[in-house]
Structures are given as C-alpha cells and as structure tokens.
Amino acid sequence: MNYLTLVQEASADAQRLETVYRSANQAGDGVAFDEAVHTCYAAAPDNLLYAAWHFRLSESLSSTAKHVIDWRLAILSSIPGVLIFWLLSDVERFQIHQVPLLVLVAGPLSACLIMAFLTLAGGQGWRQPVLVGLGLVGFVTYVILAVPWLPNAALKEQYGQLMAIHLPLVAWGGIGLLVLWNSATPNHRFALLIKSLEAIITGGLFLIGGAVFTAITFAMFEALGIRLPDVVRRLFAAGGAGLAPVLAVAMVYRPGVSPLAQDFGQGVSRLIATLMRLFLPLTLLVLVVYTLFIPFYFWGPFRQREVLIVYNAMLFAIMGLLVAATPVREEDLSAPQRRWLRRGLLTVAGLAVLVSLYASAAIFYRTWQGGLTPNRLTVIGWNLVNIALLLMLLFKQWQARPEQWLAALRATISTGIVCYLVWGALVVIALPLLF
C-alpha cells in the first residue's frame, strides 16, 4: 500500500489521517506510515496536521525505539571477511600485474557481508541481496579481466589505483540499492548518505583501535624476544580490517528500519553534524583568503601535479562538509540557526565553484600539454560532476522559498549521490575500453 499517497490525500483531514494510521498499525505497516508522515512534513513543514503527527511520531520513536545490536550475528557475518582479507593480504602471491587482489576485492566483499548482515538481522528476503551481490561480483570480475587488456605497466598501475577508490564507491552504491529498494526518495537517499558517513567514521575508529591493540601486542612479544610470524601479523592487520565494516554498520544502523527512520539525534551522527557546522565558518574564511591569493600563485596547479592533487582533495572535502552540515530534519536546528546555516552553505558553495573552475582549467591545460591518461580523464569527470552539482545547488536555492530550502538542498544532494555512482561505475567500465 502506498502510504505516501494516502497521507498526502489526508493533508487537511485529521480524521482520515487517524484512520490511515490505525489501518497501517493493524497491517503491520507502522514504519511505512511513519516514513510517509516524515516525508510529507519535510516537503510541507507549514502544514499543522503534518507537523503534529511528525512530532508525535518522533517523540514516540525516541521514547520507545532502542537500537539493540546483535553482536553475535555481526561477528559471524564478519568471519568470512576476516579469513579472506587474511588470505589475500599475502600480496606477493595474490596479485594481478602488480595490482594486489585485496585492493580490488576489499570494497565489494565488505559490501556483500554488510548486506548479508542487514538481511539476516532485518528478517528480509534474499532475492534482492543476491541480485545486488552478483552485480558486485560482476564488477570485480570485469576489473580482474580488464587489467591485462591495458598495454603497459604504467596504465595497469593507474587503473589499479583508481579501482582502489572507485570499486568501494560502486560497492556502497550496491548497499544503497538494497536498502532503498522500495523507498528511493530524495529524503531517504540523503538519510542513508548521512548514516553511511557515520558508519565510515565508526569503522575508522575501529581500525585505529585495532592498530593500537596490534602494535601493543607485537611490542609485548618482542620485549620477550619473540617475533610473531608474518602469517600471525597479517591475521591481526588484514583480518582486523575485514572485521571492521560489518561491526561499524551494526553499531550505527538499525536493520529492518528505513534510513529516514534511523536515529540522528545522538551518537556519532550528532557529533559529525555539530563539528561540520562549527567548521563551516572556518572553511569559509580559508576559502576567502585562498581565493584572494590565487592571482599571486596562479600557475601553481598548471605546472605542479602535487598542487593540483591538493586542490581536488580540497574540493571533495568541501562537498563532504556541505553534506555533513545539512540537517536530516528541520527541527534539529532553530529558525535563526537554519538561516545562518543556509547563508554559510551557499557562500561556501559559491566559492567552491570558483575553485573548481580554476582546478578544471589546470587539469585541462595539463591534459592538452601531456595527453589524456586514465588519471586525468577521471579527475576531469569528477570536476565536471562537482561543478554541475554546485551550480545546481545554487540555482535550486535561488528558486527555493525560505521554508523549502532544506528540502531543496537534500534533493540536490540526493541527485548528486546518483551522479557520483554513475560516474564511478563508468570509470570502472570505460577506462580499459578507452586505453
């Protein structure tokens, strides 16, 4: 049943909306009804009926819903990753034309294990995760078969390095496809993106803790004059890396619950959003000063590859800042805070457009001087995608009314997610064919 349509049709009829609510609970579709109400409220926050239901459901969720982590299932789901990471960490044996096989397999394998955990913990069917998993296996197989097509070692090395970045992106898209199979609305996509950032940071904390534990363990044995064999060292290092993805997702995501119904009001989600909003004025200051200095060092990125790399890394960091600083729900910030946040985000986006155009001119110049390579083609594509998204963001915000700017911003970011995934998949498929 399409509860979004039913809720929209009852936008001015309190009795009818109450009837839809009771019918949804009787049918076991309470979560679907909640999501429909939250979606309608995000689109029309001035509707008093939607606002009342939104806060009623949010209060109910915060008081009754509790994220119970199934650690046993999470660890069991991680074991194949631990073993395969451990095996493939012997890069001398498992490599394809100097490209470690672990680099190509790590992202898609982690995604498959995460999907298995979400399916088991959420009590869902296996048809969708199997289809998505087969698609990811197809991408990895294509890359493994494509590496020998490239005519020289330099191109193979470039392609392998690019796949270390783009295959995890495609794998994340596979997880998103599974989670959003029946609810791929802009608000759901944005909520999933925020939860994904939370999972990535949590996974990084797991890895840092594991690295510290590993270093202390090895140091204790070496203090006794015992050097652990390489196979044990790889078990700690690579095996721990295989354990982290599923555990991180289990920590931050409630299986069986849609992205929009997840908890964003506490934990790492709240910390990330608060930090990014605090960094926003600092980033704005740095961009202003940096833009003023560009004329004095204009030819730097045109002549030095390292400077150009820094520029592009900075642009991706700015895109991440714009995403992480955007609230999932309007009530997370007061009206004055939302106004100032909008001004800051738009100013940063406008300056980022200028820096993106400058970086694009530099990469086009270097391509004209030195020819097209896989790295340059990839960077050109990413720059064009980022510029298009930033311009779309500014245009949509110019069109949006004050009460609708957050919904418009989330819709733009949701479109950006699709663009990123499409370009990432094209990079994986097209580079061997072009070079």
Side-chain angles (χ1 to χ4, degrees):
M1 185 176 294
N2 190 342
Y3 287 99
L4 182 60
T5 301
L6 293 175
V7 172
Q8 289 171 340
E9 292 174 350
S11 61
D13 189 338
Q15 183 177 1
R16 185 176 179 183
L17 191 56
E18 178 69 27
T19 301
V20 174
Y21 168 70
R22 294 183 181 183
S23 299
N25 282 333
Q26 290 175 357
D29 295 332
V31 172
F33 175 83
D34 294 358
E35 294 168 4
V37 170
H38 295 316
T39 301
C40 290
Y41 172 74
D46 54 342
N47 185 305
L48 295 180
L49 183 59
Y50 287 158
W53 274 95
H54 167 76
F55 288 108
R56 170 185 171 183
L57 295 173
S58 297
E59 180 64 25
S60 174
L61 180 65
S62 63
S63 61
T64 60
K66 192 174 183 181
H67 183 191
V68 179
I69 303 173
D70 191 341
W71 288 112
R72 181 175 171 224
L73 179 59
I75 293 174
L76 289 175
S77 301
S78 303
I79 290 176
V82 173
L83 298 177
I84 296 175
F85 273 54
W86 178 32
L87 176 66
L88 298 183
S89 63
D90 187 356
V91 295
E92 297 296 327
R93 291 178 55 195
F94 299 101
Q95 60 176 271
I96 302 171
H97 295 274
Q98 307 303 316
V99 178
L101 187 58
L102 180 59
V103 171
L104 305 179
V105 169
L109 173 61
S110 298
C112 289
L113 296 177
I114 290 171
M115 290 189 294
F117 167 73
L118 293 176
T119 301
L120 290 169
Q124 299 167 345
W126 284 96
R127 178 175 173 271
Q128 290 94 335
V130 168
L131 290 175
V132 176
L134 289 176
L136 295 180
V137 171
F139 269 99
V140 174
T141 304
Y142 175 85
V143 171
I144 292 174
L145 295 177
V147 170
W149 298 353
L150 299 169
N152 57 63
L155 288 176
K156 292 173 182 175
E157 181 181 1
Q158 285 189 41
Y159 185 62
Q161 292 171 349
L162 291 171
M163 291 307 98
I165 301 171
H166 290 79
L167 277 177
L169 175 63
V170 173
W172 174 79
I175 298 173
L177 179 61
L178 174 67
V179 173
L180 302 173
W181 194 276
N182 296 315
S183 57
T185 63
N187 285 330
H188 281 91
R189 288 201 298 268
F190 179 77
L192 177 62
L193 178 59
I194 297 299
K195 273 297 170 183
S196 300
L197 292 175
E198 184 179 349
I200 290 171
I201 292 176
T202 303
L205 294 176
F206 269 119
L207 292 177
I208 292 172
V212 172
F213 173 77
T214 300
I216 293 174
T217 301
F218 291 165
M220 290 174 61
F221 278 98
E222 288 179 0
L224 298 176
I226 302 173
R227 178 174 176 80
L228 297 176
D230 182 65
V231 66
V232 176
R233 291 174 175 268
R234 288 193 292 107
L235 176 61
F236 274 80
L243 185 70
V246 177
L247 295 186
V249 171
M251 280 279 294
V252 305
Y253 197 87
R254 293 172 58 209
V257 178
S258 76
L260 200 58
Q262 299 290 325
D263 183 12
F264 297 94
Q266 56 187 357
V268 179
S269 289
R270 188 178 183 87
L271 177 62
I272 294 172
T274 303
L275 285 177
M276 293 303 101
R277 290 164 197 157
L278 291 175
F279 279 127
L280 189 61
L282 298 176
T283 303
L284 179 58
L285 177 63
V286 170
L287 279 174
V288 170
V289 174
Y290 201 82
T291 304
L292 293 176
F293 272 93
I294 283 178
F296 301 98
Y297 301 92
F298 185 81
W299 293 105
F302 289 78
R303 294 170 178 165
Q304 301 178 33
R305 179 172 178 266
E306 292 76 14
V307 176
L308 186 58
I309 292 174
V310 172
Y311 268 84
N312 286 285
M314 180 183 67
L315 291 174
F316 278 105
I318 290 173
M319 297 298 287
L321 174 69
L322 294 176
V323 171
T326 304
V328 178
R329 301 186 178 98
E330 295 198 22
E331 64 270 17
D332 293 343
L333 297 175
S334 65
Q337 288 175 325
R338 291 198 296 269
R339 274 197 306 273
W340 282 106
L341 178 63
R342 185 186 190 190
R343 294 167 184 169
L345 291 176
L346 292 181
T347 307
V348 168
L351 291 172
V353 170
L354 297 178
V355 178
S356 297
L357 292 172
Y358 176 50
S360 296
I363 188 62
F364 276 114
Y365 174 80
R366 292 181 60 84
T367 302
W368 177 58
Q369 290 286 318
L372 191 65
T373 65
N375 284 339
R376 288 172 181 162
L377 177 60
T378 302
V379 172
I380 288 172
W382 281 118
N383 278 354
L384 293 178
V385 169
N386 284 332
I387 291 172
L389 291 175
L390 289 169
L391 290 175
M392 186 187 348
L393 185 153
L394 294 173
F395 178 72
K396 293 289 187 182
Q397 288 302 306
W398 177 67
Q399 285 186 321
R401 290 181 293 178
E403 67 273 12
Q404 295 179 333
W405 77 271
L406 270 175
L409 180 57
R410 288 191 289 262
T412 303
I413 294 172
S414 298
T415 302
I417 296 172
V418 177
C419 295
Y420 269 47
L421 292 175
V422 169
W423 178 244
L426 286 176
V427 168
V428 173
I429 296 171
L431 290 185
L433 302 177
L434 295 175
F435 293 93

